[in-house]
Amino acid sequence: MPAPHTPLPPSDSLHAPDTALAVRGTRWLAVGSLLGLIVLGLAWELWLAPLREGGSWWVIKVLPLTVPLAGLLKNRMYTYRWVSLLVWLYFTEGVVRATSESGLSMWLAIIEVLLCIALFAACALHVRMRLRAAGKEAVAADVASATEAAASRVAQP
C-alpha cells in the first residue's frame, strides 16, 4: 500500500498497456472486417452467386467500402465514426438477401451480416477506447474541432 502522502495514479494509467493492445485489436478487427466485406462482395457478385450469369453490375456496391480503407489504415478517428454508420447499409442488404434468397446466396448474406456486426462493434469500441484513453481534454478538443468544421461549412457560400 502506498504511503498516505503518495497520490494514487489515475485508474486509466493502471491499464494503459491493456488499453493499447485492445485499441490495436479493434483497429485490426475493423480493417479485417472491411477487407472481408470487400472480398466477399467481389466474389459474390462476380463468381460465387451473381444475379446474372457471368457476373453482375451489383459488384459496384463494393466501391464505397474501398474509400474508408486508407483512413482505417492511417488510424483516423473520423473514419471509424462514419464507417460505423455506412456499414448499416450493407447489414440491411445482408439481412434482406438472407431472408429472401436460398442456397449459396443465403449463406453469403449471413456472412455479410456477421462481417457487418464485427465491423460496427470494432469501430464503436475503437472510438470509445481511444476517447477514454485520451482523456477529457482530448474529447473537448475533438468536439471543438468538429464544431469549428461544421461552422466553416455553414459559412461557405
Side-chain angles (χ1 to χ4, degrees):
M1 182 162 170
H5 64 283
T6 306
L8 291 172
S11 61
D12 287 343
S13 67
L14 291 175
H15 304 291
D18 293 338
T19 301
L21 182 63
V23 168
R24 266 195 312 267
T26 57
R27 176 184 182 201
W28 291 115
L29 178 60
V31 170
S33 300
L34 184 63
L35 286 173
L37 281 170
I38 291 169
V39 170
L40 176 69
L42 289 173
W44 187 350
E45 299 301 342
L46 292 176
W47 303 289
L48 297 176
L51 292 175
R52 293 194 183 126
E53 191 69 29
S56 159
W57 277 98
W58 275 105
V59 75
I60 63 172
K61 72 181 179 186
V62 173
L63 288 177
L65 292 173
T66 62
V67 174
L69 191 55
L72 292 184
L73 291 172
K74 292 178 182 177
N75 213 18
R76 293 190 174 146
M77 181 78 85
Y78 183 75
T79 305
Y80 286 93
R81 288 178 174 167
W82 69 263
V83 166
S84 69
L85 299 174
L86 173 71
V87 73
W88 292 111
L89 295 171
Y90 295 89
F91 174 85
T92 304
E93 182 213 12
V95 168
V96 168
R97 291 183 79 173
T99 58
S100 65
E101 296 184 13
S102 60
L104 182 58
S105 285
M106 179 190 70
W107 290 107
L108 294 172
I110 290 169
I111 294 169
E112 181 179 35
V113 167
L114 295 174
L115 284 169
C116 288
I117 291 169
L119 179 57
F120 174 77
C123 288
L125 288 171
H126 185 86
V127 168
R128 183 176 183 169
M129 285 188 283
R130 276 183 61 186
L131 288 176
R132 186 174 286 165
K136 292 179 183 176
E137 297 82 18
V139 173
D142 189 44
V143 169
S145 172
T147 305
E148 182 180 315
S152 69
R153 276 186 243 126
V154 170
Q156 292 177 354

